Amino acid sequence: MNYPESKDSKSPLNLDDGPVFWKAVKEKDAIYNVYLKRVRYHTLPDHLCGIDEVSGSRVGSGSGIKGVSQLASETLKIRSIKAGTLQRLIECLVQVTGELDSSYVNTFLATYRSFASTEQVLDAIIDRFRQLQEERQMKDSLKQDHTKCLRSVLSMWLDTYSDDFKKPPHFTSLKKLITFASDVNDADFTLRAKHRLERFRKEFEMANKVDPLLFHFCLCDEVDYVLQTEFCKPLEFHNIPNDTIAEQLTYIDAELLKKLVPHHCLGSTWSRDRKSEEAPTILATVTQFNAVLFRVVTTILKNPKLKKSQRAKVIVKWIDIAQKVRELKNFSSLKAIISGLQSNSVYRLRKTWDHIPKEHLHLYGELSNIFSEENNQITQRELLMKEGSAKFADPGIVGKNAKQRRSLQKRKSAFIENGIVTGTIPYLGTFLTDLTMIDTAIPDKTDQGLINFEKKRKEFDILVQIKLLQSACNLYNIKEDPQFTRWFQGAKVYDENESYELSCVIEAAQSQSPRTPKDKTGSFRHSFPSHNRKNSNESMSSYGSSYNADDTSVSSLNLTPSAPSATGAPPFEKQMSHSSSYSSINSSEVDGSSAQLKLNNSCIVKVKLVKSSQEEPSLYKSILLGNGDHTSTVIKNCLSKHLLSEDLFNDFVIAQVLSGGREFIIPDKANVYYALSSDCAEYVIALKHKSTLQTLESTKKSSKKGSKKEQI
């Protein structure tokens, strides 16, 4: 048969490798991508003739004698919605043939929250169902298939994402779903929905129930408590076996990953002020990540009177624990331990690092290289690809360290002998970075105001990876150790100020030290992904290096610490390719070139909102800046990212944040792309209300008058 020609080229399309994009078709309220797929038959089908290009039916050619077996082929035209209104997206849940498009349904249900509410989607599906019932031009059999598929979608929605309907105290959406199921005489669906409503009500009542204060005394319980207190004394870090720490950290991380709701990762909901409500499962993972990081730092610094060799043993112990969690394929705790060892308060202890054995320094370097930012974190991604569904860690891809390979091989052999398999726990920050990049680079809507569903497909591809790793976590067979849990939860941790002060007590700060904290007054904060840096060794993401539950703002803390060299001393002149936002440093103190790279006449810029001079900056958001964007356009984009009305753009100005705390106010009619200074570690813009500028001016004037009076 003849191959159709591409719209963009005179060369024929090769359909043997699967569906091939042919053209885009614009219709009212929707844009479709049309793909061509070649299908082979052993007998010539009777319906091979008759082509309808508009409806998207089969096209092809062939000839033969009826009843004669032969090999034939035809080309199918497959339409896939690229963008459309909510109503058009709902129509695509069921194919024209009356079959359920399971791939599309899964993508839609996993991502719809970024462009519609549960109530809006439910109303749209019910309206579509009513519309089909009133359709007169459709055959009854086809109409029945369509309505049946829509009921299946609602059933799948309730079973898979039941929390979408958990909105107490009225549960409006769930009640509407029950009414619909009852109206269509679906008894099984109605019963399941009612059971779900009853369960939600009981959970809500239990959560809001206030029990009277009861006094209970049991002599046996008191004796058990005394015995437990006497014989189960609190653990000390140096007495806990490395295997126990690694396994218990893996147990905690695995439980958190299994409870994680993937769609909480979308739309940067995990970075908003209401993250505890909108993304509690992400917040729990971040909190655990920080808890491990804090305990790494605290155990190293808590006793200033330790000898340097003794303190080095604590660091060596954490390196060994990091190796153990690597063997368990727990990349989350591995990243947390590495970040703790690379924190400002620890890596500055040069004399302590001098006592680290050379073998452990090499091991530390190998483990650190797993999180290298080079080539978009290619090392970590390759490990997840190879070990994500594997039963054990692969000793062949861990680097050049012989001890690490021997340890992995030994543990793998032990696992095989005992019939033990392990799951894989990823560093969630990698996926959050990818989703942030997609959210920043691809608009939510087209120029025509249509929902960009191609963006949702890209986001869903990442969510699928998270779901697969969640399933793999069920392979872990680790039980909780209550004694370790008591130590971990009861261990004292230091904030940033205390950690740095203790570090300076242990080893006094030196004026020639290339890295000292610029600001020691701030609280611990986790950093946001940063993009498009010329130096690929700088961090793109450190989502959980620290988190302050009382502070809803996020600072971009760009710290690229150095690993100790093989000779013993930390090579502060050579950067490691990892990130730890444990403390803030001046971007001018970062080694190497940090100028940003502008690619394809665009770059990604981080934006913080400053509403008043006394108020802390809000969360960082990211926008895509083009070479034709002027000040007013950029201000509107910034307002939109911070969920503010674009009509307020006349009340705001933008200023580039430079090194040393300086700011450059972008003129009103400037081309922002070319106005930005490249002498920065990253592009950061402050979106400021004009009233803040007036306040600053008045403050400067009053300070000048005060200084003149003092001189007089």
Side-chain angles (χ1 to χ4, degrees), residues 151-184:
R151 290 203 304 270
S152 299
V153 171
L154 292 174
S155 179
M156 186 190 305
W157 188 7
L158 179 63
D159 294 339
T160 310
Y161 301 99
S162 59
D163 285 348
D164 290 357
F165 300 92
K166 191 177 181 180
K167 297 183 178 179
H170 302 296
F171 303 100
T172 306
S173 298
L174 188 52
K175 289 180 179 178
K176 185 179 294 185
L177 188 62
I178 294 174
T179 302
F180 169 78
S182 178
D183 291 342
V184 298

Side-chain angles (χ1 to χ4, degrees), residues 400-414:
K400 300 179 181 179
N401 190 276
K403 180 182 178 181
Q404 188 180 7
R405 289 198 300 272
R406 288 196 301 269
S407 178
L408 282 175
Q409 189 62 53
K410 182 178 179 181
R411 180 174 284 258
K412 180 178 179 179
S413 301

Side-chain angles (χ1 to χ4, degrees), residues 416-484:
I416 294 175
E417 291 176 2
N418 298 313
I420 301 174
V421 294
T422 62
T424 303
I425 302 173
Y427 168 57
L428 192 60
T430 303
F431 297 110
L432 296 179
T433 299
D434 292 343
L435 290 169
T436 301
M437 290 287 288
I438 293 174
D439 185 51
T440 302
I442 305 176
D444 292 323
K445 293 188 176 181
T446 64
D447 296 337
Q448 296 78 24
L450 303 178
I451 299 169
N452 189 351
F453 201 75
E454 280 297 303
K455 176 179 180 178
K456 304 307 163 190
R457 288 191 174 93
K458 295 180 183 296
E459 292 175 336
F460 182 70
D461 289 341
I462 297 175
L463 298 187
V464 168
Q465 298 177 43
I466 298 176
K467 290 181 178 181
L468 290 175
L469 293 171
Q470 284 181 301
S471 300
C473 277
N474 294 318
L475 296 174
Y476 285 110
N477 187 22
I478 303 173
K479 296 182 179 180
E480 182 182 9
D481 185 341
Q483 199 171 5
F484 173 85

Side-chain angles (χ1 to χ4, degrees), residues 275-398:
K275 49 184 166 283
S276 59
E277 300 176 13
E278 298 182 358
T281 57
I282 305 296
L283 179 59
T285 303
V286 172
T287 303
Q288 171 61 18
F289 182 97
N290 295 334
V292 176
L293 186 150
F294 291 151
R295 280 149 185 79
V296 172
V297 175
T298 300
T299 52
I300 295 172
L301 301 176
K302 73 174 184 177
N303 190 352
K305 296 182 180 180
L306 282 179
K307 295 181 180 179
K308 295 177 179 61
S309 58
Q310 294 174 318
R311 196 177 314 281
K313 290 181 179 179
V314 180
I315 296 178
V316 167
K317 183 177 178 67
W318 276 116
I319 294 175
D320 288 335
I321 294 170
Q323 167 65 8
K324 297 296 183 182
V325 297
R326 165 69 187 96
E327 294 168 2
L328 292 169
K329 300 193 294 180
N330 181 358
F331 295 98
S332 181
S333 287
L334 176 59
K335 171 69 173 177
I337 294 171
I338 296 299
S339 297
L341 294 174
Q342 293 176 344
S343 65
N344 184 48
S345 301
V346 174
Y347 80 79
R348 64 174 298 277
L349 302 176
R350 299 188 181 211
K351 296 178 181 178
T352 300
W353 284 100
D354 286 340
H355 290 79
I356 304 296
K358 182 177 180 180
E359 187 179 38
H360 277 82
L361 287 175
H362 281 301
L363 176 59
Y364 171 68
E366 290 285 349
L367 295 172
S368 300
N369 285 335
I370 292 175
F371 301 100
S372 169
E373 299 292 340
E374 186 176 357
N375 293 330
N376 194 21
Q377 308 170 9
I378 188 171
T379 303
Q380 183 188 174
R381 295 177 189 277
E382 286 181 348
L383 281 176
L384 285 177
M385 287 287 292
K386 294 180 179 180
E387 299 186 4
S389 58
K391 296 181 179 180
F392 320 101
D394 187 356
I397 55 175
V398 296

Side-chain angles (χ1 to χ4, degrees), residues 613-665:
S613 57
Q614 291 81 19
E615 187 178 355
E616 283 289 327
S618 68
L619 304 171
Y620 277 115
K621 300 290 184 181
S622 298
I623 64 170
L624 185 66
L625 180 65
N627 63 347
D629 292 341
H630 288 73
T631 305
S632 59
T633 303
V634 175
I635 292 177
K636 290 179 181 179
N637 291 339
C638 295
L639 290 171
S640 177
K641 273 291 181 180
H642 284 89
L643 305 179
L644 297 175
S645 174
E646 297 181 3
D647 297 334
L648 301 174
F649 75 96
N650 286 323
D651 298 331
F652 287 84
V653 296
I654 53 175
Q656 183 183 7
V657 180
L658 305 174
S659 59
R662 298 175 294 117
E663 290 185 350
F664 166 62
I665 298 179

Side-chain angles (χ1 to χ4, degrees), residues 59 64 154 211 239-241 259 287 343 396 473 497 499 511 610 672 686:
V59 296
L154 292 174
D211 294 328
N239 292 329
I240 307 176
K259 295 176 182 177
T287 303
S343 65
C473 277
N497 296 338
S499 297
S511 58
V610 182
V672 181

Side-chain angles (χ1 to χ4, degrees), residues 108-127:
F108 181 87
L109 293 179
T111 60
Y112 79 85
R113 296 157 199 83
S114 59
F115 57 81
S117 64
T118 301
E119 292 77 11
Q120 290 174 327
V121 173
L122 180 59
D123 290 340
I125 293 178
I126 294 176
D127 290 343

